[in-house]
Amino acid sequence: MYGPSSAPGMRTRHVSIFKYIFKKKGRPGDPAELWEPADGDVAEGEAEGPSAIASEILPPILVLIPRLKSSDQQDAAQAAAEMVALTNNTSSEEDAVVGRSGALEVLGQVVCKGNEEGRTAAASALANLIANADPNKVLVSKLPGVLSSMVSLASSAHDKPSSVAARALLNLVSNKDAALALARTPGAIEALAQLVQRAKMETKEDAARVLNTMVSQGKEVCLMVAEVESAMHALKAVARAANCTGEAKLWSVSALHGLSRCSRVRTTLLRAKIVEDVVVPLLSAESLGEWSEAIQALTTMTAANLTGWEDDTPLTEFKQQVSGLVHVMAMALTCREHGRYKFRNSHVLQSLWSVAPNDAFKGDLVTAKLLELSIDMIALAHTQGHRGMNLVMLLEMVYHLSFCELGQARLKELQGVKMLEAHSRGPDVHVRRLSRGALWTLGVRETIPPPPPEEERRHVYLCYHKDDEQRVKAIASSLYDKGYHVLLNGEKKSKDGKKASHLLAMATAISSAAYVVLCISDSFNISPFCRTEAEYCDEVQAPMVPLLLDDSKPAKHLHKIASTLDCIDASDPNQQELVIVELMEELGDKGKRDGGNKAAAPATPLPPTIAFTDLKGANSTRFDTPEVDSGILNVNGSAGPEHASATGVWEGYDPAFMRGDDGEGGAGGSESEW
């Protein structure tokens, strides 16, 4: 099984992971194992359309509609209460039939204009009718004034109206459009925050769950929730409160985790000290009740998304919980849950991807079999045709782990070289580059020409991350004006009539550079591409000058290459002239077009070219460049047909840890293409 043996909820699995992944959904009536049929599944031979049972509910509903329209508020309230009794146990099909009868619109009018008793009963009936029918959710969210009236009801001083409103909103926000409409309703998030903080426990749980569901519906809603200070304060308070139920804590922590997945919200969470005031106390707690496993996993994932790549992350004190995320991801991939909470595989993957650059966790992650799970998932991505962001993140994790000696040894045992070679010829430019970078780290390299003599080294090479491209181009332009030959992307070499890979171009440019300027930033520190370049500079003993482009410090893996004291502070863009003066003092005449090594000046001055390092990845928004090959990255000139095979067995890779002793399923069955 993936994950350390001490991981929370650890249990032995005796069947292959692929058995669950490829299992088809059953039909209603079939014995349920892991997969649950959707509400809309229809059994063979079962006719679609309203059933007899659904038709039976309409007559009493139609009788109540005129009473709901009555000007007598007490009669309308009584009719709404009868509607609640009729809809308490309706099916999704019956709810859809009632939704088309006009009952929702009339109930909405009662919610807006009735007395408190009628509004509460009408809100309860709406909660019943929108619970399982998505079209009803959209319709209710578009009814004029209904959402505002629901928010007003949630703000009631009495327990019952606020409790009913919270439950109605919980049923509503599972639809993305309805969640966005609620977030845009004035005072809605503030009202929910008030319920989270001050309502009775059951209502508190519902309100926290509403916020959790809302932030899972997209970045726009996440930003709206994060901008409301009272919501952040309420979630933080409940998550760490000792007198709250485990379920209230669970939904509060889950909401904070959902917010941490949005890159534009992370600064807000860090300023709110979520890591110090919520994560550390929860991870240090001896017991968190019945939801302990899920809460600890979500808390660890939140901290990973916020600080996992930093050298001083508080997670270094909780390495067991970090490596336990490998087990959580395996459970999310197979049975969709861990600790009774349903985790999404992509969410756990994002957190593991966030900690993968940190050398403090690499050994533990390899020991927890993250490489085995990643290789399984990479092969699965090809089998199912998914070659998007998840595949890129998986390969970047493999790339990061290849910098660790333990990771290198394990990759070679698993025949990871052949897997990476197959992907290095694939159609996706990001996948190719990540695969080739990992192969380079493993020692699988093209033949690199010997470096020229020192007196023939004629340029200054700038190594940087794409996020810092604008700043670096300004520095390069200033250096060019001062007479330096500046190179950002290496020379375009050819190999057997075909364009060489970006790694060969990088190696040639660095080995023939008079000086290499390392433009260090947060993005540089966590990029495997930048690390490859920096380590190759050290390998060939190229003369280096480190620049600090922001307030970050060089990562620990750069300390032997560039200590903080050696760096030129370029964090203030307004002080660029001073930075250029300091750079020139370090460079001297080396790399100048008309001095030092006497490099020939071009007939027409050319601006700095775009760096081949501009496709390096560092976070969830880092792979936003078009998937078009720039021309200098192809090893063989065209995309090869060979891809990873989910059915292949790799020599040295024993999948027995996945399938137990029965020999079923697994990765066997045919010869490997590798």
Side-chain angles (χ1 to χ4, degrees):
M1 186 56 195
Y2 307 106
S5 57
S6 57
M10 186 67 187
R11 58 177 179 260
T12 304
R13 175 152 44 84
H14 294 291
V15 292
S16 164
I17 192 172
F18 291 103
K19 177 175 179 180
Y20 298 104
I21 293 168
F22 295 122
K23 184 172 181 180
K24 295 181 179 179
K25 290 188 179 182
R27 297 190 300 269
D30 291 343
E33 293 180 13
L34 287 175
W35 297 96
E36 293 292 340
D39 287 333
D41 288 346
V42 179
E44 290 183 10
E46 186 177 306
E48 295 186 6
S51 66
I53 297 177
S55 301
E56 289 175 1
I57 197 173
L58 273 179
I61 294 290
L62 294 175
V63 169
L64 290 175
I65 288 178
R67 293 178 57 196
L68 291 169
K69 295 179 180 179
S70 171
S71 57
D72 183 350
Q73 291 188 345
Q74 192 59 39
D75 185 43
Q78 182 61 36
E82 293 177 23
M83 182 75 79
V84 173
L86 283 173
T87 57
N88 266 336
N89 299 306
T90 51
S91 66
S92 58
E93 185 183 10
E94 291 171 324
D95 291 341
V97 171
V98 175
R100 293 192 292 268
S101 69
L104 296 177
E105 291 86 345
V106 180
L107 287 169
Q109 292 176 10
V110 177
V111 170
C112 295
K113 300 178 181 179
N115 57 24
E116 184 172 283
E117 181 185 352
R119 294 175 65 202
T120 303
S124 183
L126 284 176
N128 291 341
L129 291 170
I130 64 177
N132 301 311
D134 224 42
N136 290 0
K137 302 177 199 286
V138 177
L139 177 58
V140 169
S141 68
K142 293 180 178 179
L143 293 176
V146 170
L147 290 183
S148 296
S149 298
M150 287 281 196
V151 170
S152 173
L153 202 61
S155 303
S156 171
H158 301 100
D159 289 340
K160 185 174 180 180
S162 59
S163 175
V164 168
R167 180 53 58 95
L169 293 177
L170 177 58
N171 290 343
L172 184 74
V173 294
S174 59
N175 177 273
K176 185 173 183 178
D177 294 333
L180 185 57
L182 178 62
R184 290 172 175 168
T185 302
I189 298 174
E190 290 84 351
L192 289 167
Q194 185 177 13
L195 290 178
V196 170
Q197 199 159 11
R198 299 179 183 177
K200 65 178 184 178
M201 196 57 63
E202 184 178 347
T203 307
K204 185 192 296 286
E205 293 169 358
D206 285 343
R209 193 170 182 181
V210 172
L211 289 175
N212 171 61
T213 307
M214 288 176 69
V215 300
S216 69
Q217 299 291 9
K219 290 184 179 180
E220 188 174 353
V221 181
C222 273
L223 291 170
M224 292 181 187
V225 173
E227 287 171 358
V228 178
E229 186 177 349
S230 60
M232 300 295 293
H233 178 71
L235 292 172
K236 178 179 172 182
V238 172
R240 63 181 182 176
N243 60 345
C244 285
T245 62
E247 191 167 343
K249 286 177 177 288
L250 174 70
W251 299 123
S252 298
V253 171
S254 183
L256 292 173
H257 165 253
L259 291 168
S260 74
R261 297 185 61 249
C262 180
S263 57
R264 295 167 63 183
V265 174
R266 288 172 190 156
T267 302
T268 303
L269 294 175
L270 290 171
R271 287 175 181 167
K273 296 187 176 180
I274 296 299
V275 175
E276 296 87 341
D277 295 346
V278 176
V279 171
V280 173
L282 288 178
L283 291 180
S284 303
E286 294 183 1
S287 176
L288 295 171
E290 59 178 335
W291 294 99
S292 177
E293 292 178 344
I295 291 173
Q296 287 213 342
L298 287 167
T299 305
T300 306
M301 290 162 62
T302 302
N305 292 342
L306 295 176
T307 65
W309 56 89
E310 297 177 356
D311 291 330
D312 57 352
T313 175
L315 283 178
T316 53
E317 301 296 323
F318 305 99
K319 292 184 179 180
Q320 179 180 335
Q321 285 86 343
V322 173
S323 57
L325 292 181
V326 181
H327 169 70
V328 177
M329 186 162 72
M331 291 295 96
L333 187 65
T334 53
C335 59
R336 303 293 194 268
E337 68 175 41
H338 168 74
R340 296 168 52 211
Y341 180 87
K342 291 189 180 298
F343 285 87
R344 293 187 62 179
N345 175 56
S346 58
H347 294 181
V348 192
L349 173 60
Q350 181 185 10
S351 299
L352 285 168
W353 172 71
S354 297
V355 300
N358 196 325
D359 283 358
F361 303 115
K362 285 185 170 71
D364 295 296
L365 293 174
V366 172
T367 303
K369 299 183 178 177
L370 178 57
L371 283 173
E372 285 87 337
L373 181 56
S374 298
I375 290 174
D376 277 348
M377 293 173 67
I378 289 168
L380 179 65
H382 269 285
T383 300
Q384 296 187 337
H386 304 312
R387 300 190 181 96
M389 178 59 70
N390 282 6
L391 179 57
V392 171
M393 294 168 74
L394 285 164
L395 283 168
E396 188 172 347
M397 281 201 308
V398 172
Y399 193 174
H400 280 299
L401 296 178
S402 69
F403 289 104
C404 162
E405 290 184 4
L406 186 60
Q408 291 180 9
R410 191 66 185 136
L411 272 172
K412 291 174 182 177
E413 291 175 9
L414 299 171
Q415 293 294 296
V417 172
K418 292 186 178 181
M419 178 270 290
L420 292 169
E421 286 175 342
H423 282 280
S424 70
R425 297 185 291 272
D428 188 289
V429 60
H430 305 309
V431 169
R432 288 201 304 272
R433 295 179 187 189
L434 289 165
S435 301
R436 293 170 189 172
L439 287 169
W440 177 277
T441 307
L442 292 170
V444 182
R445 305 180 180 181
E446 300 167 87
T447 303
I448 302 170
E454 187 173 348
E455 61 273 10
E456 295 181 16
R457 299 181 181 183
R458 302 177 177 179
H459 62 262
V460 176
Y461 180 80
L462 270 63
C463 173
Y464 68 98
H465 188 274
K466 177 185 179 281
D467 291 352
D468 309 311
E469 183 175 13
Q470 187 175 358
R471 288 287 316 281
V472 173
K473 281 188 174 182
I475 293 171
S477 180
S478 297
L479 287 175
Y480 189 87
D481 291 342
K482 299 295 183 182
Y484 289 93
H485 180 197
V486 181
L487 190 63
L488 300 183
N489 71 335
E491 299 172 347
K492 294 183 180 179
K493 298 291 185 181
S494 62
K495 179 181 178 184
D496 300 328
K498 299 175 182 177
K499 292 176 181 177
S501 73
H502 69 292
L503 291 165
L504 180 58
M506 173 272 293
T508 304
I510 288 176
S511 61
S512 60
Y515 256 102
V516 176
V517 179
L518 300 179
C519 303
I520 299 172
S521 64
D522 273 333
S523 299
F524 186 100
N525 280 334
I526 61 178
S527 168
F529 295 98
C530 294
R531 180 169 182 173
T532 297
E533 293 192 28
E535 291 191 354
Y536 187 73
C537 289
D538 184 58
E539 183 180 325
V540 298
Q541 297 184 339
M544 288 177 281
V545 180
L547 288 181
L548 282 181
L549 297 182
D550 55 25
D551 295 331
S552 63
K553 298 184 294 185
K556 284 185 178 179
H557 64 261
L558 294 174
H559 281 185
K560 66 176 182 179
I561 302 172
S563 67
T564 305
L565 294 176
D566 295 330
C567 295
I568 296 174
D569 184 4
S571 57
D572 187 355
N574 298 321
Q575 300 293 326
Q576 183 165 310
E577 291 184 7
L578 180 60
V579 172
I580 297 301
V581 170
E582 292 187 55
L583 259 178
M584 291 177 64
E585 289 179 359
E586 293 287 341
L587 300 176
D589 289 335
K590 293 183 178 180
K592 278 198 170 184
R593 299 190 300 274
D594 54 356
N597 48 24
K598 305 294 182 183
T604 303
L606 298 174
T609 51
I610 297 175
F612 69 82
T613 56
D614 63 357
L615 287 175
K616 300 170 188 173
N619 55 40
S620 57
T621 59
R622 290 187 285 263
F623 298 97
D624 53 358
T625 53
E627 294 188 2
V628 178
D629 199 333
S630 64
I632 61 173
L633 302 178
N634 270 330
V635 172
N636 56 3
S638 63
E642 295 180 281
H643 301 298
S645 168
T647 59
V649 179
W650 311 309
E651 183 182 351
Y653 171 49
D654 179 14
F657 70 92
M658 291 197 309
R659 65 172 186 260
D661 298 328
D662 56 280
E664 292 183 5
S670 67
E671 289 189 4
S672 169
E673 294 180 25
W674 303 338

